[in-house]
Amino acid sequence: MRPSASPLLDQICHGGSAVALNLTRLASVPAESRLFRCASLNSTVIFKYPNFDHEVADTQTQLGAATAGQAGGSAAPEKAKAGGARPIETAIFVPHDPTDLPAGGYGIYLRQRDFEELLKRHIGLDLNSSDPSYEQDVAVLRAIDRIPSLDPFLLKGVLSFCAHRIDKSYFSISPEEESAVREVIAEKLRPIVAKALALDSMDMVRERTEEFLDSLWNPDMPEAAIFLRALGIPSENARSVIDGWKGIAFYKVIFDDTKAGVLSLVRWLDSDAANPREGRSDRGRAERIGMFRTQVREKLKAVSQQMFEVFKRYERSHQQLLAEGKAGSFRMFLENVDRYYWVLGYCSMSLRHCTSVFNRHTTNGVRTHLSYAELEEMLARINTTLSSQSDGKCL
């Protein structure tokens, strides 16, 4: 019988598109249209994981039948050697069998101290090579490392420099999802456009707003940079601000879709259904489970509150711009949008994984009693994925 997967391997296998980009599923894509030119990279899974500090170091060393860092050894990733700590890190999972991810493999963690040597040894990718065939693969990895999750919407944006040659199946965003993101931004832009251009006609407001939105999606159009300069944001910062602004809107859409599942999980933890099937047959164990439930519930609320706080700051700064005509607060929000973007990326990824764990352990949230062992396993998985940012200090 195969042993239970580690929480990190569980995320790789079941965390969804935000967490893991499973390149092994795209084996039928023609070689010239694959994400990487290096064939061995196209048989891996790129994944994001919260920077759990010591918590993840305790759990990530075991990736199924193998260990992290290298096969047969124990190598939790060290702190990033450049760029400072991040709430989310990027890694490459090299499975023993690409058709059976739960069988395990080993991880190569980008930004850990020896990741260049590990990439060369296990995948054959030399980050220091001047060979043009390697350069684009390195650029793709570095671009992916800059985004907080692997949602197709964000992946498509950050890989725009090579998207023309990559098969569209890598960016499986629906037109409906993209429209929803545009609408989140448009809602804030319409009153700004109407006031700035003294427009009374709603048709004209919508038309000019759409022109601006088009420029957000097309870096060659100047309107977005001109608007940001008017707010006092330098042209050289425009691209990162635009990417972050789109990210904020994207995660607002995702959060609106996720919060019902999070609320269901919190309610379940508060209900009698979360008591062990065996009842209080083991009083000490029952008390520990009760405290664990409380701990997980509070972390869920704290991580959700992180997202609420970002959206509240967004709304407040926008209202001040409209009410007082002063751009300072809105400009300050946009100047910090990259930091907010990463916070939302972690929180969104984490909450989605928590609801996924809950649904799989309770048959899509059916209010059923679990055994002590099942309940402890579920709570441990949820607790691990919440541990990094649940202290409320990231803002």
Side-chain angles (χ1 to χ4, degrees), residues 321-356:
L321 173 61
L322 294 180
E324 303 172 16
K326 298 178 181 179
S329 182
F330 195 60
R331 182 185 68 245
M332 186 176 299
F333 179 86
L334 291 180
E335 286 175 343
N336 288 283
V337 77
D338 188 62
R339 179 163 62 95
Y340 296 144
Y341 171 43
W342 278 84
V343 169
L344 290 177
Y346 165 76
C347 293
S348 173
M349 184 182 72
S350 179
L351 292 177
R352 277 184 283 183
H353 182 64
C354 289
T355 58
S356 174

PDB file of all heavy atoms in Angstrom, residues 321-356:
ATOM      1  N   LEU A 321      -9.753  59.494  -4.199  1.00  0.00           N
ATOM      2  CA  LEU A 321      -9.447  60.144  -5.476  1.00  0.00           C
ATOM      3  C   LEU A 321     -10.690  60.795  -6.056  1.00  0.00           C
ATOM      4  O   LEU A 321     -10.652  61.944  -6.532  1.00  0.00           O
ATOM      5  CB  LEU A 321      -8.876  59.119  -6.459  1.00  0.00           C
ATOM      6  CG  LEU A 321      -8.647  59.598  -7.907  1.00  0.00           C
ATOM      7  CD1 LEU A 321      -7.642  60.746  -7.941  1.00  0.00           C
ATOM      8  CD2 LEU A 321      -8.170  58.444  -8.776  1.00  0.00           C
ATOM      9  N   LEU A 322     -11.805  60.098  -6.012  1.00  0.00           N
ATOM     10  CA  LEU A 322     -13.041  60.640  -6.591  1.00  0.00           C
ATOM     11  C   LEU A 322     -13.628  61.759  -5.740  1.00  0.00           C
ATOM     12  O   LEU A 322     -14.063  62.791  -6.259  1.00  0.00           O
ATOM     13  CB  LEU A 322     -14.069  59.525  -6.751  1.00  0.00           C
ATOM     14  CG  LEU A 322     -13.737  58.415  -7.755  1.00  0.00           C
ATOM     15  CD1 LEU A 322     -14.865  57.389  -7.789  1.00  0.00           C
ATOM     16  CD2 LEU A 322     -13.508  59.001  -9.148  1.00  0.00           C
ATOM     17  N   ALA A 323     -13.625  61.570  -4.420  1.00  0.00           N
ATOM     18  CA  ALA A 323     -14.285  62.532  -3.533  1.00  0.00           C
ATOM     19  C   ALA A 323     -13.488  63.815  -3.365  1.00  0.00           C
ATOM     20  O   ALA A 323     -14.055  64.910  -3.323  1.00  0.00           O
ATOM     21  CB  ALA A 323     -14.537  61.884  -2.174  1.00  0.00           C
ATOM     22  N   GLU A 324     -12.164  63.683  -3.271  1.00  0.00           N
ATOM     23  CA  GLU A 324     -11.328  64.843  -2.978  1.00  0.00           C
ATOM     24  C   GLU A 324     -10.523  65.333  -4.166  1.00  0.00           C
ATOM     25  O   GLU A 324      -9.924  66.411  -4.119  1.00  0.00           O
ATOM     26  CB  GLU A 324     -10.368  64.498  -1.826  1.00  0.00           C
ATOM     27  CG  GLU A 324     -11.082  64.034  -0.560  1.00  0.00           C
ATOM     28  CD  GLU A 324     -10.121  63.506   0.487  1.00  0.00           C
ATOM     29  OE1 GLU A 324      -8.904  63.770   0.358  1.00  0.00           O
ATOM     30  OE2 GLU A 324     -10.573  62.818   1.423  1.00  0.00           O
ATOM     31  N   GLY A 325     -10.482  64.520  -5.215  1.00  0.00           N
ATOM     32  CA  GLY A 325      -9.722  64.923  -6.394  1.00  0.00           C
ATOM     33  C   GLY A 325      -8.220  64.874  -6.188  1.00  0.00           C
ATOM     34  O   GLY A 325      -7.455  65.423  -6.968  1.00  0.00           O
ATOM     35  N   LYS A 326      -7.796  64.190  -5.124  1.00  0.00           N
ATOM     36  CA  LYS A 326      -6.371  64.085  -4.823  1.00  0.00           C
ATOM     37  C   LYS A 326      -5.893  62.676  -5.139  1.00  0.00           C
ATOM     38  O   LYS A 326      -6.463  61.695  -4.661  1.00  0.00           O
ATOM     39  CB  LYS A 326      -6.102  64.413  -3.353  1.00  0.00           C
ATOM     40  CG  LYS A 326      -6.480  65.846  -2.978  1.00  0.00           C
ATOM     41  CD  LYS A 326      -6.238  66.106  -1.493  1.00  0.00           C
ATOM     42  CE  LYS A 326      -6.638  67.528  -1.128  1.00  0.00           C
ATOM     43  NZ  LYS A 326      -6.434  67.795   0.327  1.00  0.00           N
ATOM     44  N   ALA A 327      -4.823  62.607  -5.936  1.00  0.00           N
ATOM     45  CA  ALA A 327      -4.358  61.310  -6.421  1.00  0.00           C
ATOM     46  C   ALA A 327      -3.404  60.612  -5.460  1.00  0.00           C
ATOM     47  O   ALA A 327      -3.025  59.466  -5.700  1.00  0.00           O
ATOM     48  CB  ALA A 327      -3.668  61.485  -7.776  1.00  0.00           C
ATOM     49  N   GLY A 328      -3.017  61.279  -4.369  1.00  0.00           N
ATOM     50  CA  GLY A 328      -1.962  60.751  -3.505  1.00  0.00           C
ATOM     51  C   GLY A 328      -2.229  59.347  -2.984  1.00  0.00           C
ATOM     52  O   GLY A 328      -1.364  58.472  -3.062  1.00  0.00           O
ATOM     53  N   SER A 329      -3.424  59.118  -2.448  1.00  0.00           N
ATOM     54  CA  SER A 329      -3.720  57.818  -1.861  1.00  0.00           C
ATOM     55  C   SER A 329      -3.780  56.720  -2.924  1.00  0.00           C
ATOM     56  O   SER A 329      -3.246  55.630  -2.724  1.00  0.00           O
ATOM     57  CB  SER A 329      -5.058  57.883  -1.117  1.00  0.00           C
ATOM     58  OG  SER A 329      -5.347  56.649  -0.490  1.00  0.00           O
ATOM     59  N   PHE A 330      -4.415  57.030  -4.062  1.00  0.00           N
ATOM     60  CA  PHE A 330      -4.515  56.044  -5.132  1.00  0.00           C
ATOM     61  C   PHE A 330      -3.135  55.763  -5.725  1.00  0.00           C
ATOM     62  O   PHE A 330      -2.801  54.620  -6.029  1.00  0.00           O
ATOM     63  CB  PHE A 330      -5.467  56.544  -6.217  1.00  0.00           C
ATOM     64  CG  PHE A 330      -5.915  55.471  -7.178  1.00  0.00           C
ATOM     65  CD1 PHE A 330      -6.600  54.361  -6.728  1.00  0.00           C
ATOM     66  CD2 PHE A 330      -5.645  55.570  -8.532  1.00  0.00           C
ATOM     67  CE1 PHE A 330      -7.029  53.365  -7.605  1.00  0.00           C
ATOM     68  CE2 PHE A 330      -6.065  54.595  -9.420  1.00  0.00           C
ATOM     69  CZ  PHE A 330      -6.753  53.490  -8.950  1.00  0.00           C
ATOM     70  N   ARG A 331      -2.319  56.831  -5.864  1.00  0.00           N
ATOM     71  CA  ARG A 331      -0.957  56.638  -6.364  1.00  0.00           C
ATOM     72  C   ARG A 331      -0.148  55.772  -5.403  1.00  0.00           C
ATOM     73  O   ARG A 331       0.582  54.869  -5.824  1.00  0.00           O
ATOM     74  CB  ARG A 331      -0.257  57.989  -6.537  1.00  0.00           C
ATOM     75  CG  ARG A 331       1.173  57.857  -7.104  1.00  0.00           C
ATOM     76  CD  ARG A 331       1.911  59.180  -7.150  1.00  0.00           C
ATOM     77  NE  ARG A 331       2.200  59.689  -5.827  1.00  0.00           N
ATOM     78  CZ  ARG A 331       1.692  60.814  -5.322  1.00  0.00           C
ATOM     79  NH1 ARG A 331       0.842  61.532  -6.022  1.00  0.00           N
ATOM     80  NH2 ARG A 331       2.005  61.215  -4.099  1.00  0.00           N
ATOM     81  N   MET A 332      -0.308  56.003  -4.109  1.00  0.00           N
ATOM     82  CA  MET A 332       0.428  55.207  -3.122  1.00  0.00           C
ATOM     83  C   MET A 332       0.015  53.744  -3.201  1.00  0.00           C
ATOM     84  O   MET A 332       0.853  52.850  -3.090  1.00  0.00           O
ATOM     85  CB  MET A 332       0.185  55.761  -1.718  1.00  0.00           C
ATOM     86  CG  MET A 332       1.017  55.088  -0.637  1.00  0.00           C
ATOM     87  SD  MET A 332       0.785  55.862   0.992  1.00  0.00           S
ATOM     88  CE  MET A 332       1.360  57.525   0.646  1.00  0.00           C
ATOM     89  N   PHE A 333      -1.299  53.511  -3.406  1.00  0.00           N
ATOM     90  CA  PHE A 333      -1.742  52.125  -3.540  1.00  0.00           C
ATOM     91  C   PHE A 333      -1.082  51.478  -4.746  1.00  0.00           C
ATOM     92  O   PHE A 333      -0.570  50.359  -4.667  1.00  0.00           O
ATOM     93  CB  PHE A 333      -3.265  52.055  -3.682  1.00  0.00           C
ATOM     94  CG  PHE A 333      -3.776  50.647  -3.844  1.00  0.00           C
ATOM     95  CD1 PHE A 333      -4.046  49.867  -2.733  1.00  0.00           C
ATOM     96  CD2 PHE A 333      -3.951  50.088  -5.102  1.00  0.00           C
ATOM     97  CE1 PHE A 333      -4.489  48.556  -2.874  1.00  0.00           C
ATOM     98  CE2 PHE A 333      -4.385  48.784  -5.261  1.00  0.00           C
ATOM     99  CZ  PHE A 333      -4.657  48.014  -4.137  1.00  0.00           C
ATOM    100  N   LEU A 334      -1.083  52.180  -5.882  1.00  0.00           N
ATOM    101  CA  LEU A 334      -0.504  51.607  -7.094  1.00  0.00           C
ATOM    102  C   LEU A 334       1.007  51.435  -6.961  1.00  0.00           C
ATOM    103  O   LEU A 334       1.577  50.493  -7.508  1.00  0.00           O
ATOM    104  CB  LEU A 334      -0.833  52.484  -8.302  1.00  0.00           C
ATOM    105  CG  LEU A 334      -2.307  52.516  -8.734  1.00  0.00           C
ATOM    106  CD1 LEU A 334      -2.486  53.433  -9.941  1.00  0.00           C
ATOM    107  CD2 LEU A 334      -2.823  51.118  -9.045  1.00  0.00           C
ATOM    108  N   GLU A 335       1.662  52.328  -6.236  1.00  0.00           N
ATOM    109  CA  GLU A 335       3.105  52.193  -6.035  1.00  0.00           C
ATOM    110  C   GLU A 335       3.439  50.942  -5.241  1.00  0.00           C
ATOM    111  O   GLU A 335       4.529  50.378  -5.371  1.00  0.00           O
ATOM    112  CB  GLU A 335       3.651  53.431  -5.316  1.00  0.00           C
ATOM    113  CG  GLU A 335       3.734  54.670  -6.209  1.00  0.00           C
ATOM    114  CD  GLU A 335       4.158  55.903  -5.440  1.00  0.00           C
ATOM    115  OE1 GLU A 335       4.066  55.886  -4.185  1.00  0.00           O
ATOM    116  OE2 GLU A 335       4.565  56.892  -6.077  1.00  0.00           O
ATOM    117  N   ASN A 336       2.508  50.500  -4.398  1.00  0.00           N
ATOM    118  CA  ASN A 336       2.715  49.295  -3.593  1.00  0.00           C
ATOM    119  C   ASN A 336       1.995  48.078  -4.161  1.00  0.00           C
ATOM    120  O   ASN A 336       1.917  47.042  -3.501  1.00  0.00           O
ATOM    121  CB  ASN A 336       2.224  49.544  -2.155  1.00  0.00           C
ATOM    122  CG  ASN A 336       3.130  50.472  -1.384  1.00  0.00           C
ATOM    123  OD1 ASN A 336       4.194  50.064  -0.925  1.00  0.00           O
ATOM    124  ND2 ASN A 336       2.741  51.722  -1.257  1.00  0.00           N
ATOM    125  N   VAL A 337       1.479  48.220  -5.393  1.00  0.00           N
ATOM    126  CA  VAL A 337       0.612  47.181  -5.929  1.00  0.00           C
ATOM    127  C   VAL A 337       1.348  45.858  -6.104  1.00  0.00           C
ATOM    128  O   VAL A 337       0.750  44.789  -5.975  1.00  0.00           O
ATOM    129  CB  VAL A 337      -0.032  47.653  -7.256  1.00  0.00           C
ATOM    130  CG1 VAL A 337       0.949  47.582  -8.413  1.00  0.00           C
ATOM    131  CG2 VAL A 337      -1.291  46.865  -7.572  1.00  0.00           C
ATOM    132  N   ASP A 338       2.652  45.908  -6.375  1.00  0.00           N
ATOM    133  CA  ASP A 338       3.398  44.668  -6.555  1.00  0.00           C
ATOM    134  C   ASP A 338       3.427  43.856  -5.259  1.00  0.00           C
ATOM    135  O   ASP A 338       3.274  42.636  -5.264  1.00  0.00           O
ATOM    136  CB  ASP A 338       4.822  44.977  -7.025  1.00  0.00           C
ATOM    137  CG  ASP A 338       5.581  43.716  -7.420  1.00  0.00           C
ATOM    138  OD1 ASP A 338       5.135  43.043  -8.371  1.00  0.00           O
ATOM    139  OD2 ASP A 338       6.599  43.396  -6.788  1.00  0.00           O
ATOM    140  N   ARG A 339       3.589  44.553  -4.135  1.00  0.00           N
ATOM    141  CA  ARG A 339       3.584  43.864  -2.828  1.00  0.00           C
ATOM    142  C   ARG A 339       2.195  43.285  -2.537  1.00  0.00           C
ATOM    143  O   ARG A 339       2.065  42.130  -2.104  1.00  0.00           O
ATOM    144  CB  ARG A 339       3.985  44.844  -1.719  1.00  0.00           C
ATOM    145  CG  ARG A 339       3.994  44.245  -0.325  1.00  0.00           C
ATOM    146  CD  ARG A 339       4.783  45.123   0.632  1.00  0.00           C
ATOM    147  NE  ARG A 339       4.203  46.442   0.762  1.00  0.00           N
ATOM    148  CZ  ARG A 339       3.350  46.790   1.735  1.00  0.00           C
ATOM    149  NH1 ARG A 339       2.999  45.902   2.645  1.00  0.00           N
ATOM    150  NH2 ARG A 339       2.872  48.006   1.827  1.00  0.00           N
ATOM    151  N   TYR A 340       1.162  44.072  -2.791  1.00  0.00           N
ATOM    152  CA  TYR A 340      -0.197  43.585  -2.581  1.00  0.00           C
ATOM    153  C   TYR A 340      -0.505  42.384  -3.482  1.00  0.00           C
ATOM    154  O   TYR A 340      -1.185  41.442  -3.082  1.00  0.00           O
ATOM    155  CB  TYR A 340      -1.206  44.691  -2.864  1.00  0.00           C
ATOM    156  CG  TYR A 340      -1.128  45.872  -1.935  1.00  0.00           C
ATOM    157  CD1 TYR A 340      -1.350  47.170  -2.393  1.00  0.00           C
ATOM    158  CD2 TYR A 340      -0.836  45.705  -0.579  1.00  0.00           C
ATOM    159  CE1 TYR A 340      -1.286  48.263  -1.540  1.00  0.00           C
ATOM    160  CE2 TYR A 340      -0.766  46.792   0.285  1.00  0.00           C
ATOM    161  CZ  TYR A 340      -0.990  48.071  -0.213  1.00  0.00           C
ATOM    162  OH  TYR A 340      -0.924  49.143   0.631  1.00  0.00           O
ATOM    163  N   TYR A 341      -0.001  42.462  -4.688  1.00  0.00           N
ATOM    164  CA  TYR A 341      -0.195  41.407  -5.683  1.00  0.00           C
ATOM    165  C   TYR A 341       0.351  40.075  -5.171  1.00  0.00           C
ATOM    166  O   TYR A 341      -0.300  39.025  -5.251  1.00  0.00           O
ATOM    167  CB  TYR A 341       0.508  41.889  -6.945  1.00  0.00           C
ATOM    168  CG  TYR A 341       0.677  40.967  -8.117  1.00  0.00           C
ATOM    169  CD1 TYR A 341      -0.342  40.142  -8.553  1.00  0.00           C
ATOM    170  CD2 TYR A 341       1.875  40.980  -8.832  1.00  0.00           C
ATOM    171  CE1 TYR A 341      -0.168  39.343  -9.669  1.00  0.00           C
ATOM    172  CE2 TYR A 341       2.053  40.194  -9.952  1.00  0.00           C
ATOM    173  CZ  TYR A 341       1.030  39.367 -10.365  1.00  0.00           C
ATOM    174  OH  TYR A 341       1.210  38.582 -11.466  1.00  0.00           O
ATOM    175  N   TRP A 342       1.538  40.112  -4.568  1.00  0.00           N
ATOM    176  CA  TRP A 342       2.138  38.887  -4.025  1.00  0.00           C
ATOM    177  C   TRP A 342       1.367  38.392  -2.802  1.00  0.00           C
ATOM    178  O   TRP A 342       1.179  37.192  -2.609  1.00  0.00           O
ATOM    179  CB  TRP A 342       3.602  39.122  -3.687  1.00  0.00           C
ATOM    180  CG  TRP A 342       4.475  39.007  -4.885  1.00  0.00           C
ATOM    181  CD1 TRP A 342       4.737  39.980  -5.809  1.00  0.00           C
ATOM    182  CD2 TRP A 342       5.175  37.842  -5.332  1.00  0.00           C
ATOM    183  NE1 TRP A 342       5.557  39.481  -6.796  1.00  0.00           N
ATOM    184  CE2 TRP A 342       5.847  38.179  -6.526  1.00  0.00           C
ATOM    185  CE3 TRP A 342       5.306  36.555  -4.832  1.00  0.00           C
ATOM    186  CZ2 TRP A 342       6.634  37.267  -7.228  1.00  0.00           C
ATOM    187  CZ3 TRP A 342       6.094  35.647  -5.523  1.00  0.00           C
ATOM    188  CH2 TRP A 342       6.740  36.006  -6.716  1.00  0.00           C
ATOM    189  N   VAL A 343       0.906  39.313  -1.963  1.00  0.00           N
ATOM    190  CA  VAL A 343       0.112  38.907  -0.803  1.00  0.00           C
ATOM    191  C   VAL A 343      -1.153  38.192  -1.262  1.00  0.00           C
ATOM    192  O   VAL A 343      -1.505  37.119  -0.757  1.00  0.00           O
ATOM    193  CB  VAL A 343      -0.251  40.133   0.067  1.00  0.00           C
ATOM    194  CG1 VAL A 343      -1.302  39.763   1.117  1.00  0.00           C
ATOM    195  CG2 VAL A 343       0.990  40.692   0.747  1.00  0.00           C
ATOM    196  N   LEU A 344      -1.851  38.779  -2.236  1.00  0.00           N
ATOM    197  CA  LEU A 344      -3.067  38.157  -2.748  1.00  0.00           C
ATOM    198  C   LEU A 344      -2.764  36.823  -3.420  1.00  0.00           C
ATOM    199  O   LEU A 344      -3.562  35.884  -3.327  1.00  0.00           O
ATOM    200  CB  LEU A 344      -3.754  39.095  -3.744  1.00  0.00           C
ATOM    201  CG  LEU A 344      -4.384  40.360  -3.161  1.00  0.00           C
ATOM    202  CD1 LEU A 344      -4.952  41.229  -4.282  1.00  0.00           C
ATOM    203  CD2 LEU A 344      -5.475  40.027  -2.155  1.00  0.00           C
ATOM    204  N   GLY A 345      -1.635  36.755  -4.113  1.00  0.00           N
ATOM    205  CA  GLY A 345      -1.257  35.509  -4.766  1.00  0.00           C
ATOM    206  C   GLY A 345      -1.101  34.386  -3.769  1.00  0.00           C
ATOM    207  O   GLY A 345      -1.615  33.278  -3.964  1.00  0.00           O
ATOM    208  N   TYR A 346      -0.384  34.654  -2.674  1.00  0.00           N
ATOM    209  CA  TYR A 346      -0.238  33.628  -1.641  1.00  0.00           C
ATOM    210  C   TYR A 346      -1.596  33.264  -1.036  1.00  0.00           C
ATOM    211  O   TYR A 346      -1.974  32.089  -0.953  1.00  0.00           O
ATOM    212  CB  TYR A 346       0.700  34.071  -0.507  1.00  0.00           C
ATOM    213  CG  TYR A 346       0.511  33.152   0.677  1.00  0.00           C
ATOM    214  CD1 TYR A 346       1.055  31.873   0.658  1.00  0.00           C
ATOM    215  CD2 TYR A 346      -0.324  33.507   1.733  1.00  0.00           C
ATOM    216  CE1 TYR A 346       0.805  30.983   1.679  1.00  0.00           C
ATOM    217  CE2 TYR A 346      -0.577  32.618   2.755  1.00  0.00           C
ATOM    218  CZ  TYR A 346      -0.010  31.356   2.723  1.00  0.00           C
ATOM    219  OH  TYR A 346      -0.290  30.477   3.726  1.00  0.00           O
ATOM    220  N   CYS A 347      -2.331  34.281  -0.599  1.00  0.00           N
ATOM    221  CA  CYS A 347      -3.582  34.012   0.116  1.00  0.00           C
ATOM    222  C   CYS A 347      -4.575  33.270  -0.770  1.00  0.00           C
ATOM    223  O   CYS A 347      -5.235  32.332  -0.326  1.00  0.00           O
ATOM    224  CB  CYS A 347      -4.189  35.322   0.600  1.00  0.00           C
ATOM    225  SG  CYS A 347      -3.228  36.163   1.888  1.00  0.00           S
ATOM    226  N   SER A 348      -4.677  33.695  -2.015  1.00  0.00           N
ATOM    227  CA  SER A 348      -5.610  33.054  -2.940  1.00  0.00           C
ATOM    228  C   SER A 348      -5.231  31.598  -3.166  1.00  0.00           C
ATOM    229  O   SER A 348      -6.074  30.697  -3.100  1.00  0.00           O
ATOM    230  CB  SER A 348      -5.624  33.805  -4.271  1.00  0.00           C
ATOM    231  OG  SER A 348      -6.395  33.132  -5.240  1.00  0.00           O
ATOM    232  N   MET A 349      -3.952  31.354  -3.435  1.00  0.00           N
ATOM    233  CA  MET A 349      -3.481  29.991  -3.652  1.00  0.00           C
ATOM    234  C   MET A 349      -3.727  29.136  -2.414  1.00  0.00           C
ATOM    235  O   MET A 349      -4.186  27.989  -2.492  1.00  0.00           O
ATOM    236  CB  MET A 349      -1.995  30.007  -3.996  1.00  0.00           C
ATOM    237  CG  MET A 349      -1.416  28.637  -4.327  1.00  0.00           C
ATOM    238  SD  MET A 349       0.356  28.711  -4.674  1.00  0.00           S
ATOM    239  CE  MET A 349       1.022  28.998  -3.038  1.00  0.00           C
ATOM    240  N   SER A 350      -3.449  29.696  -1.254  1.00  0.00           N
ATOM    241  CA  SER A 350      -3.588  28.958  -0.009  1.00  0.00           C
ATOM    242  C   SER A 350      -5.044  28.599   0.269  1.00  0.00           C
ATOM    243  O   SER A 350      -5.368  27.457   0.595  1.00  0.00           O
ATOM    244  CB  SER A 350      -3.019  29.796   1.141  1.00  0.00           C
ATOM    245  OG  SER A 350      -3.155  29.122   2.361  1.00  0.00           O
ATOM    246  N   LEU A 351      -5.940  29.574   0.125  1.00  0.00           N
ATOM    247  CA  LEU A 351      -7.347  29.320   0.421  1.00  0.00           C
ATOM    248  C   LEU A 351      -7.957  28.335  -0.557  1.00  0.00           C
ATOM    249  O   LEU A 351      -8.778  27.480  -0.173  1.00  0.00           O
ATOM    250  CB  LEU A 351      -8.129  30.640   0.404  1.00  0.00           C
ATOM    251  CG  LEU A 351      -7.805  31.621   1.529  1.00  0.00           C
ATOM    252  CD1 LEU A 351      -8.593  32.910   1.352  1.00  0.00           C
ATOM    253  CD2 LEU A 351      -8.080  31.012   2.904  1.00  0.00           C
ATOM    254  N   ARG A 352      -7.559  28.417  -1.815  1.00  0.00           N
ATOM    255  CA  ARG A 352      -8.084  27.463  -2.781  1.00  0.00           C
ATOM    256  C   ARG A 352      -7.621  26.046  -2.451  1.00  0.00           C
ATOM    257  O   ARG A 352      -8.377  25.082  -2.588  1.00  0.00           O
ATOM    258  CB  ARG A 352      -7.665  27.853  -4.203  1.00  0.00           C
ATOM    259  CG  ARG A 352      -8.580  28.895  -4.822  1.00  0.00           C
ATOM    260  CD  ARG A 352      -8.209  29.190  -6.251  1.00  0.00           C
ATOM    261  NE  ARG A 352      -7.036  30.040  -6.349  1.00  0.00           N
ATOM    262  CZ  ARG A 352      -6.540  30.483  -7.503  1.00  0.00           C
ATOM    263  NH1 ARG A 352      -7.103  30.124  -8.642  1.00  0.00           N
ATOM    264  NH2 ARG A 352      -5.489  31.268  -7.523  1.00  0.00           N
ATOM    265  N   HIS A 353      -6.375  25.930  -2.008  1.00  0.00           N
ATOM    266  CA  HIS A 353      -5.891  24.601  -1.647  1.00  0.00           C
ATOM    267  C   HIS A 353      -6.625  24.077  -0.413  1.00  0.00           C
ATOM    268  O   HIS A 353      -6.966  22.897  -0.338  1.00  0.00           O
ATOM    269  CB  HIS A 353      -4.389  24.630  -1.392  1.00  0.00           C
ATOM    270  CG  HIS A 353      -3.827  23.280  -1.063  1.00  0.00           C
ATOM    271  ND1 HIS A 353      -3.841  22.241  -1.954  1.00  0.00           N
ATOM    272  CD2 HIS A 353      -3.275  22.796   0.071  1.00  0.00           C
ATOM    273  CE1 HIS A 353      -3.311  21.170  -1.392  1.00  0.00           C
ATOM    274  NE2 HIS A 353      -2.954  21.482  -0.160  1.00  0.00           N
ATOM    275  N   CYS A 354      -6.897  24.951   0.542  1.00  0.00           N
ATOM    276  CA  CYS A 354      -7.619  24.522   1.749  1.00  0.00           C
ATOM    277  C   CYS A 354      -8.994  23.978   1.398  1.00  0.00           C
ATOM    278  O   CYS A 354      -9.411  22.938   1.922  1.00  0.00           O
ATOM    279  CB  CYS A 354      -7.762  25.702   2.711  1.00  0.00           C
ATOM    280  SG  CYS A 354      -6.225  26.204   3.507  1.00  0.00           S
ATOM    281  N   THR A 355      -9.724  24.669   0.542  1.00  0.00           N
ATOM    282  CA  THR A 355     -11.060  24.192   0.175  1.00  0.00           C
ATOM    283  C   THR A 355     -10.970  22.900  -0.625  1.00  0.00           C
ATOM    284  O   THR A 355     -11.839  22.032  -0.510  1.00  0.00           O
ATOM    285  CB  THR A 355     -11.828  25.260  -0.625  1.00  0.00           C
ATOM    286  OG1 THR A 355     -11.096  25.623  -1.805  1.00  0.00           O
ATOM    287  CG2 THR A 355     -12.055  26.505   0.222  1.00  0.00           C
ATOM    288  N   SER A 356      -9.899  22.753  -1.420  1.00  0.00           N
ATOM    289  CA  SER A 356      -9.713  21.513  -2.162  1.00  0.00           C
ATOM    290  C   SER A 356      -9.469  20.348  -1.211  1.00  0.00           C
ATOM    291  O   SER A 356     -10.048  19.264  -1.369  1.00  0.00           O
ATOM    292  CB  SER A 356      -8.528  21.656  -3.130  1.00  0.00           C
ATOM    293  OG  SER A 356      -8.234  20.429  -3.769  1.00  0.00           O
TER     294      SER A 356
END
